Amino acid sequence: MFVGLQGSGKTTTVTKLAYHYKKKGWQTALVCADTFRAGAFDQLRMNATKAKIPFYGSETEADPVKVAKEGVDIFKSEKTEIIIVDTSGRHKQEEELFEEMQEISAATDPQNIIFVMDSSIGQAAFDQAKAFKDKVKVGSVIITKMDGHAKGGGALSAVAATESPIVFLGTGEQIPDLEMFDAKSFVSRLLGMGDIPGMMKLIQDVVPPDGEDMAKRLSEGKFSLRDMYKQFQYIQQMGPLSNVLSMIPGMNNLPQMQGDLGTAKLKAYVTIMDSLTDAELDNAKVLDPPRIMRIARGSGRHPAEVRELLEQHKNFEKVFSGPKGKGMAGLMNKGGLNPRSMQQMASLVPPAALKGMGGMGGLQNMLKSMGAGGMKMPEGFPNFPGFGM
């Protein structure tokens, strides 16, 4: 059973959790016991239909206890393995709604009551979480909206108040945007130190097995617009760009990376590359002014944005190839961490990004983190044997 404040993202999160377990082979179902908020059942029905998860609710019954009991009984009779009940959002001062929550809990007898908390709640987290804990037996916590500016420090207060572990983090608006909580990664991001292992796992989840050809090309220092196109598509599948960047030490401190600006720019680049021909994707040198104008018209973007994309490609190409094999891929494949290669590598990183990482020392620490424990880059991204990958 899900409980929490109104606006914390419960109704979206119940679908995310049901989808998470459905992917693992469990039979899941949803029950909407939120008869207080207008549109709550419509929202759950839309999300559940999109995720292809069975659901139950009523547009006419006003008693949430009755709706919850009927829904749970129906799905139990159908041998559903995981039934998730969504309840109305409530505030610690709304005593009547708290009594309703207790009645739903008594009627459905849930094995686990999950407290859902907005990551931006801040110092109010402890009092609110304790109010729920005092009324029902909260067993675990889910922190939502971790893709925003809030780092989720209030989550620690919620854990203390409920004496319950954090089990998942909501990292975006889409149904798959739910990740299992890892204390080390969470605290590392909270302190602005990034989460390289978490980023590697994200990459492994989105890069297809047939990425070996791209990995080979990158290791040889080759980087076409087609390669860039595929990399951008992979990044889009990893969720909100701000969430991905928060995993890279220092990158979340760059002003140009804040908010939705980076995500919008990435979408614009992908839209532009959708208008390129196969020949243009494989050879950027053929993109003369007339072709740039044609691409701008076809993608609905300004010609200046097309030129900006081509400039970005040149920068990426420089990073991976560089003069006489001195690009990042070449440096990494030749040797490991030594002062000379680090100096050359640092010269390939944009100054603002290098500063955000904490300078040369930050870059070195990040690369060491990527190689810790023999971590291996998935196919489609270059392997770095010099760092134990």
Side-chain angles (χ1 to χ4, degrees), residues 272 289 292-297 299-310:
I272 290 170
I292 289 174
M293 290 299 298
R294 187 210 82 228
I295 293 166
R297 287 193 299 269
S299 61
R301 311 302 303 190
H302 195 278
E305 291 181 278
V306 181
R307 289 191 288 269
E308 181 184 272
L309 170 65
L310 297 178

Side-chain angles (χ1 to χ4, degrees), residues 354-369:
L354 184 62
K355 183 180 179 181
M357 292 176 190
M360 182 74 74
L363 175 62
Q364 187 168 354
N365 289 335
M366 185 184 76
L367 294 172
K368 282 182 178 179
S369 297

Side-chain angles (χ1 to χ4, degrees), residues 143-341:
I143 310 299
T144 61
K145 306 179 185 179
M146 287 295 295
D147 54 320
H149 293 296
K151 294 183 179 180
L156 305 180
S157 297
V159 169
T162 61
E163 300 177 348
S164 305
I166 302 171
V167 287
F168 288 96
L169 299 176
T171 57
E173 297 179 356
Q174 302 305 312
I175 291 173
D177 295 338
L178 186 75
E179 66 179 51
M180 294 190 70
F181 176 77
D182 179 87
K184 184 178 179 180
S185 297
F186 179 79
V187 173
S188 180
R189 276 193 271 180
L190 185 65
L191 298 176
M193 297 166 61
D195 176 19
I196 295 299
M199 187 176 70
M200 294 297 106
K201 185 179 183 304
L202 266 180
I203 293 173
Q204 290 169 345
D205 288 343
V206 303
V207 177
D210 60 357
E212 185 175 355
D213 182 58
M214 185 189 294
K216 184 174 183 295
R217 286 174 51 78
L218 294 179
S219 66
E220 294 172 351
K222 299 175 182 177
F223 191 74
S224 67
L225 278 168
R226 187 184 299 278
D227 296 324
M228 186 175 177
Y229 185 42
K230 289 181 179 178
Q231 296 278 7
F232 284 174
Q233 289 178 317
Y234 294 156
I235 293 171
Q236 283 187 314
Q237 293 174 44
M238 290 166 68
L241 187 58
S242 58
N243 182 50
V244 177
L245 292 172
S246 72
M247 297 181 176
I248 305 175
M251 293 299 281
N252 56 340
N253 295 325
L254 298 179
Q256 63 268 38
M257 301 297 187
Q258 298 296 332
D260 297 327
L261 185 61
T263 300
K265 180 66 70 176
L266 189 65
K267 287 182 178 178
Y269 284 165
V270 171
T271 300
I272 290 170
M273 286 188 279
D274 282 337
S275 296
L276 268 64
T277 65
D278 286 339
E280 291 165 346
L281 286 170
D282 292 326
N283 183 13
K285 293 180 180 179
V286 303
L287 292 171
D288 53 18
R291 286 177 183 252
I292 289 174
M293 290 299 298
R294 187 210 82 228
I295 293 166
R297 287 193 299 269
S299 61
R301 311 302 303 190
H302 195 278
E305 291 181 278
V306 181
R307 289 191 288 269
E308 181 184 272
L309 170 65
L310 297 178
E311 189 62 32
Q312 289 292 340
H313 172 254
K314 286 182 182 178
N315 292 336
F316 276 118
E317 194 174 33
K318 177 184 176 185
V319 168
F320 282 107
S321 58
K324 298 182 180 179
K326 292 183 180 180
M328 191 171 289
L331 291 172
M332 288 180 165
N333 284 324
K334 286 179 182 176
L337 293 171
N338 61 70
R340 185 175 179 182
S341 64

Side-chain angles (χ1 to χ4, degrees), residues 27-58:
Q27 293 180 2
T28 62
L30 300 173
V31 177
C32 180
D34 183 356
T35 60
F36 180 77
R37 178 171 66 90
F41 180 44
D42 288 337
Q43 182 185 353
L44 185 140
R45 175 168 48 197
M46 181 178 66
N47 289 341
T49 301
K50 185 177 181 180
K52 297 181 179 179
I53 296 169
F55 63 92
Y56 178 85
S58 175

Side-chain angles (χ1 to χ4, degrees), residues 81-215:
E81 296 167 303
I82 298 176
I83 305 167
I84 303 174
V85 179
D86 181 29
T87 65
S88 302
R90 61 206 77 222
H91 190 274
K92 68 175 183 175
Q93 296 172 336
E94 297 173 318
E95 189 62 33
E96 184 178 335
L97 287 176
F98 268 89
E99 291 176 3
E100 173 192 287
M101 179 178 67
Q102 290 175 305
E103 292 172 4
I104 294 174
S105 177
T108 59
D109 189 24
Q111 293 178 311
N112 185 19
I113 297 179
I114 300 176
F115 175 63
V116 181
M117 191 193 81
D118 185 336
S119 63
S120 64
I121 192 173
Q123 296 180 356
F126 183 88
D127 290 340
Q128 293 290 353
K130 190 175 186 305
F132 281 87
K133 178 68 174 179
D134 290 344
K135 297 295 183 180
V136 292
K137 190 176 180 180
V138 175
S140 51
V141 178
I142 292 180
I143 310 299
T144 61
K145 306 179 185 179
M146 287 295 295
D147 54 320
H149 293 296
K151 294 183 179 180
L156 305 180
S157 297
V159 169
T162 61
E163 300 177 348
S164 305
I166 302 171
V167 287
F168 288 96
L169 299 176
T171 57
E173 297 179 356
Q174 302 305 312
I175 291 173
D177 295 338
L178 186 75
E179 66 179 51
M180 294 190 70
F181 176 77
D182 179 87
K184 184 178 179 180
S185 297
F186 179 79
V187 173
S188 180
R189 276 193 271 180
L190 185 65
L191 298 176
M193 297 166 61
D195 176 19
I196 295 299
M199 187 176 70
M200 294 297 106
K201 185 179 183 304
L202 266 180
I203 293 173
Q204 290 169 345
D205 288 343
V206 303
V207 177
D210 60 357
E212 185 175 355
D213 182 58
M214 185 189 294

